[in-house]
Amino acid sequence: MGPAAGLAALLAVLALGAGDPAGAAARGDTFSALTSVARALAPERRLLGLLRRYLRGEEARLRDLTRFYDKVLSLHEDSATPVSNPLLAFTLIKRLQSDWRNVVHSLEASENIRALKDGYEKVEQDLPAFEDVEGAARALMRLQDVYMLNVKGLARGVFQRVVGSAVTDLYSPRRLFSLTADDCFQVGKAGNVSCALSLSREFLLYSPDNKRMARNVLKYEKLLAESPNQVVAEAVIQRPNVPHLQTRDIYEGLCQTLGSQPTHYQIPSLYCSYETNSSPYLLLQPVRKEVIHLEPYVVLFHDFVSDVEAQKIRGLAEPWLQRSVVASGEKQLPVEYRISKSAWLKDTVDPLLVTLDHRIGALTGLDVQTPYAEYLQVVNYGIGGHYEPHFDHATSPTSPLYRMKSGNRVATFMIYLSSVEAGGATAFIYANFSVPVVKNAALFWWNLHRSGEGDGDTLHAGCPVLVGDKWVANKWIHEYGQEFRRPCSSSPKD
């Protein structure tokens, strides 16, 4: 990707995103979770019912108008009709004085449209806001940019990447849904000028002599000066110390593979096994373990949860989902580089969560009880939902993570609660590999070395979901409480 291409779709990163449990999400966040988009089908079904009644009423009215038209037309076509006939003269005057007035100012038409408007106003509060249209449009731009989708093909409903003469089908829908000219116009005008300005300025830090980028900065500054309302909250968000633009090509390349793991026979130290971790809890039902990577150490536990368990966890979280946020000083703000909704579940919500903690503890050998671990965070990704490159552990001593007074996040245990048709892989940027979404499996890695220093190779991202409804559950485990379970070491290699 060229340095200036798709700047409006390039997004920033931040390490954290932890909010408090909350109720229903605010209007305008429909696009940020697929479950919210699915709920939008219900009010549209109600609107379809209203429209059906309106059409039936209008069809009856139009039948009456057709009969009126045919009757009057026949009188005009009959040249033998004398106006001298008092009956015909009366009906002519009556038609012109009242019947045509009723046609033009139809009370029945007014009642039909009024019923439709009243019904619409009753469901209007449940409908997506204009911000959702913009968010969904930016999601399409993001998908086109990250996965290098052919624009003409995408407008026709085809998900293809075209590079030179090579054509790759990324997803083949059972039914093609094409975009209208107005749809394409809405997508095209959804660029984020303030984000583009921020990224252009950052680019100049790496290449101060780039004249094209300097011109872009002036252009974006002028646009924002003319339309100050385009300045959004994310413009004030400060990114963590991550060379975002320098890792962009690697990030996109890993996402485009749709999930690629090292071939085990090429690297003998990577292996699969049945894992009990010497725990009686797992003795009769060991978990299938697949070592994905050694540095950083990343493993995948297959079938960690069942379909029933995954569905129940999603059901417990859904009423509490709200837009995922990131920390900026003392504030928690939604941003474009993290598109999802999340909810936090205490283990007191359901016995299943206690069982889940026992299973995680048995597999990892770590203490996952509060306050040594955070509550289970359940996340549902939205249209093109993603989380750009970030660290799970805190990279600053002022991070809100330390308010828990249990140290940094030593490990991440992420459970895939669903499958997706395409996209959504977990990409480890510096380690240069990605893991596809594997339904019911759990991904585990260490965020910190045994010395307590953060492992820079754990920089990772949730690639945009191309097609599908992605759900994950995160269990973040902290340093304190693990002193005898994962002993410290002074060696930076451990």
Side-chain angles (χ1 to χ4, degrees):
M1 186 183 73
L7 273 177
L10 295 182
L11 308 171
V13 288
L14 193 64
L16 300 188
D20 297 324
R27 187 166 177 259
D29 282 338
T30 300
F31 75 97
S32 61
L34 254 292
T35 187
S36 300
V37 177
R39 282 201 297 269
L41 290 171
E44 185 167 55
R45 281 193 288 267
R46 292 169 63 186
L47 289 174
L48 280 174
L50 292 169
L51 185 58
R52 182 177 61 249
R53 288 193 291 272
Y54 171 77
L55 290 174
R56 287 175 178 174
E58 286 293 279
E59 286 170 355
R61 186 175 70 86
L62 290 174
R63 283 195 296 270
D64 292 340
L65 286 177
T66 301
R67 284 194 293 269
F68 173 78
Y69 171 82
D70 291 339
K71 178 182 176 181
V72 176
L73 181 63
S74 67
L75 291 174
H76 281 262
E77 290 177 341
D78 186 357
S79 58
T81 302
V83 180
S84 58
N85 185 323
L87 296 178
L88 293 177
F90 167 77
T91 57
L92 171 61
I93 293 172
K94 174 181 176 293
R95 285 199 309 273
L96 293 173
Q97 198 284 323
S98 61
D99 291 355
W100 279 102
R101 185 188 301 273
N102 291 336
V103 168
V104 175
H105 304 286
S106 171
L107 180 62
E108 187 179 4
S110 299
E111 291 174 347
N112 288 342
I113 194 65
R114 182 70 261 170
L116 181 63
K117 288 181 178 179
D118 288 344
Y120 175 82
E121 289 172 359
K122 289 179 180 178
V123 302
E124 189 172 11
Q125 62 182 2
D126 298 325
L127 303 180
F130 179 71
E131 292 81 3
D132 289 306
V133 179
E134 290 188 320
R138 287 195 297 269
L140 293 183
M141 293 173 61
R142 181 186 315 122
L143 292 174
Q144 187 276 326
D145 184 50
V146 172
Y147 292 106
M148 299 177 63
L149 299 176
N150 179 267
V151 176
K152 291 183 179 179
L154 187 61
R156 297 195 308 269
V158 178
F159 295 79
Q160 290 180 330
R161 182 167 63 246
V162 180
V163 181
S165 59
V167 179
T168 305
D169 289 319
L170 301 183
Y171 170 69
S172 299
R174 288 175 293 179
R175 178 183 174 188
L176 293 180
F177 293 91
S178 59
L179 298 178
T180 65
D182 182 66
D183 294 335
C184 294
F185 174 74
Q186 290 291 337
V187 173
K189 73 175 187 177
N192 190 327
V193 179
S194 62
C195 184
L197 174 60
S198 175
L199 289 164
S200 297
R201 286 172 173 166
E202 181 180 350
F203 191 96
L204 285 176
L205 296 177
Y206 297 108
S207 181
D209 296 329
N210 191 304
K211 295 181 179 180
R212 180 180 178 184
M213 200 59 58
R215 288 195 300 270
N216 284 347
V217 168
L218 294 175
K219 179 178 68 175
Y220 297 142
E221 287 176 341
K222 182 179 179 180
L223 285 172
L224 289 177
E226 294 172 350
S227 304
N229 290 335
Q230 293 193 48
V231 181
V232 292
E234 70 182 62
V236 302
I237 293 289
Q238 297 298 315
R239 291 192 206 147
N241 186 24
V242 174
H244 176 69
L245 293 178
Q246 292 181 340
T247 63
R248 184 73 191 184
D249 288 342
I250 300 174
Y251 162 62
E252 291 183 352
L254 291 171
C255 290
Q256 288 163 16
T257 64
L258 305 183
S260 61
Q261 298 155 286
T263 306
H264 292 91
Y265 67 83
Q266 293 177 335
I267 306 177
S269 55
L270 302 179
Y271 63 91
C272 296
S273 65
Y274 283 98
E275 182 65 60
T276 64
N277 199 27
S278 302
S279 170
Y281 189 83
L282 300 173
L283 188 60
L284 297 179
Q285 192 174 3
V287 177
R288 289 189 297 150
K289 173 184 175 181
E290 180 181 0
V291 179
I292 302 295
H293 207 267
L294 295 179
E295 293 182 5
Y297 182 74
V298 179
V299 297
L300 188 69
F301 296 110
H302 291 266
D303 297 316
F304 178 76
V305 293
S306 66
D307 287 339
V308 173
E309 289 174 326
Q311 184 176 359
K312 186 166 186 178
I313 294 170
R314 296 197 305 265
L316 291 171
E318 187 169 354
W320 301 96
L321 289 173
Q322 64 172 353
R323 178 72 182 270
S324 297
V325 295
V326 298
S328 177
E330 296 296 322
K331 295 181 179 180
Q332 299 280 329
L333 298 174
V335 289
E336 276 294 313
Y337 53 81
R338 189 185 189 193
I339 299 298
S340 63
K341 288 184 179 179
S342 54
W344 297 83
L345 298 180
K346 296 182 179 180
D347 54 10
T348 54
V349 170
D350 191 274
L352 170 60
L353 301 180
V354 177
T355 301
L356 201 66
D357 279 350
H358 287 163
R359 200 178 303 163
I360 295 173
L363 262 180
T364 62
L366 301 174
D367 189 339
V368 299
Q369 302 301 311
T370 307
Y372 306 122
E374 298 172 41
Y375 297 127
L376 190 71
Q377 185 199 54
V378 182
V379 182
N380 182 217
Y381 288 82
I383 304 171
H386 69 146
Y387 194 176
E388 287 208 346
H390 62 282
F391 294 107
D392 280 357
H393 61 276
T395 57
S396 168
T398 61
S399 170
L401 273 181
Y402 291 113
R403 294 175 189 166
M404 294 181 64
K405 297 182 179 180
S406 55
N408 209 340
R409 287 173 173 169
V410 67
T412 293
F413 198 94
M414 184 176 71
I415 309 167
Y416 294 113
L417 299 176
S418 69
S419 59
V420 297
E421 283 82 356
T426 304
F428 287 81
I429 312 303
Y430 293 139
N432 198 30
F433 73 96
S434 60
V435 183
V437 175
V438 181
K439 186 181 180 183
N440 297 343
L443 201 61
F444 173 80
W445 68 88
W446 298 105
N447 294 308
L448 306 179
H449 293 293
R450 288 183 181 270
S451 63
E453 294 295 321
D455 187 344
D457 287 336
T458 62
L459 181 73
H460 65 286
C463 294
V465 179
L466 185 58
V467 182
D469 188 8
K470 181 182 175 183
W471 288 80
V472 301
N474 297 308
K475 190 72 173 181
W476 284 302
I477 307 163
H478 284 239
E479 292 177 280
Y480 298 173
Q482 321 305 337
E483 291 85 350
F484 299 104
R485 298 168 184 265
R486 193 193 189 220
C488 296
S489 170
S490 59
S491 173
K493 296 182 180 181
D494 293 340

